[in-house]
Structures are given as C-alpha cells and as structure tokens.
Amino acid sequence: MDRTVVRCADGHVFSATSFPMQKAERLGPGRLVRCPRCARLRSVVQVALEKR
C-alpha cells in the first residue's frame, strides 16, 4: 500500500496508508482521519514534500 504524509489540524505530521482512496469522511479539501499523536478524529491534508 502507498503511504502518504499528512498533517492534522493540530499540526501533527504522520503517514497514512493510501490517503486519497482511504475510507474516511470528506471535509472540504481534507479528510477525517484518527491522528496517532492525539488519538482524535482530525481533519488532515496532504503535506507537499520538497524535492532536493
């Protein structure tokens, strides 16, 4: 499965499996996913990675 780096509404950065196709509730540009850092259902958006 593909891993995608995402950021929750509290600013925690973590990876989620197959973010675009994940069975999560849609909320605007993000999705509702349980954050592993704060253990709450949070709106998350994909993090843009810099290429070096």
Side-chain angles (χ1 to χ4, degrees):
M1 290 188 166
D2 293 334
R3 305 287 294 177
T4 302
V5 179
V6 295
R7 177 177 288 123
C8 83
D10 282 348
H12 301 136
V13 177
F14 59 96
S15 64
T17 57
S18 60
F19 179 71
M21 303 303 276
Q22 187 173 3
K23 291 181 180 176
E25 296 296 321
R26 184 134 173 96
L27 183 66
R31 305 241 193 267
L32 289 177
V33 176
R34 187 163 307 277
C35 175
R37 297 274 316 272
C38 57
R40 294 185 176 183
L41 202 57
R42 298 284 186 193
S43 175
V44 298
V45 293
Q46 193 170 8
V47 174
L49 299 176
E50 295 180 14
K51 292 187 179 183
R52 295 180 182 195

